[in-house]
């Protein structure tokens, strides 16, 4: 299981519009092979900043499968115009839990 992390900086004033678009977009990624779950959280101190966490089975399911799919183009069209600057996406693996 891998965890993808993306800090999303949405253009201030477009938060409600982004959240509506994300509700549509999350169905796209949820239907992809290897998807487990996701959480989108908004920062309390800076409401235009979000944290997206996506759990998946394998790194390749995201980097090759999702990003190489036609569905990703729809995801991009729904969401990418909200970001300033464009987010950095990182992938993590669990090494310890409590």
């Amino acid at each position: 299981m891998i965890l993808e992390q993306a800090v999303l900086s949405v253009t201030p004033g477009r938060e409600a519009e982004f959240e509506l678009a994300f509700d549509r977009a999350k169905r796209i990624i949820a239907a992809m092979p290897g998807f487990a779950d996701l959480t989108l959280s908004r920062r309390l101190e800076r409401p235009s900043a979000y944290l997206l966490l996506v759990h998946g089975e394998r790194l390749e399911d995201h980097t090759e499968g999702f990003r190489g799919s036609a569905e990703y183009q729809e995801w991009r069209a729904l969401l990418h115009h909200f970001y300033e600057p464009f987010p950095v996406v990182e992938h993590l693996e669990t090494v310890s839990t409590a």
Side-chain angles (χ1 to χ4, degrees), residues 36-96:
D37 62 60
L38 70 74
T39 303
L40 178 68
S41 302
R42 183 171 48 182
R43 289 188 179 170
L44 295 175
E45 296 83 4
R46 193 165 55 105
S48 62
Y50 295 79
L51 175 63
L52 175 61
L53 300 174
V54 181
H55 282 104
E57 290 179 23
R58 302 175 318 127
L59 178 61
E60 297 79 13
D61 290 331
H62 180 78
T63 58
E64 297 168 18
F66 178 54
R67 288 205 179 156
S69 70
E71 291 86 347
Y72 180 69
Q73 299 310 312
E74 185 179 355
W75 170 275
R76 280 184 55 190
L78 285 167
L79 299 176
H80 285 197
H81 61 281
F82 289 105
Y83 307 138
E84 185 57 45
F86 197 77
V88 173
V89 177
E90 297 180 311
H91 299 91
L92 304 98
E93 62 183 346
T94 302
V95 294
S96 181

Side-chain angles (χ1 to χ4, degrees), residues 15-29:
E15 297 88 356
E17 184 184 358
F18 166 73
E19 290 177 23
L20 286 173
F22 190 86
D23 275 345
R24 290 182 55 205
K26 71 182 178 185
R27 296 179 193 130
I28 297 168
I29 197 169

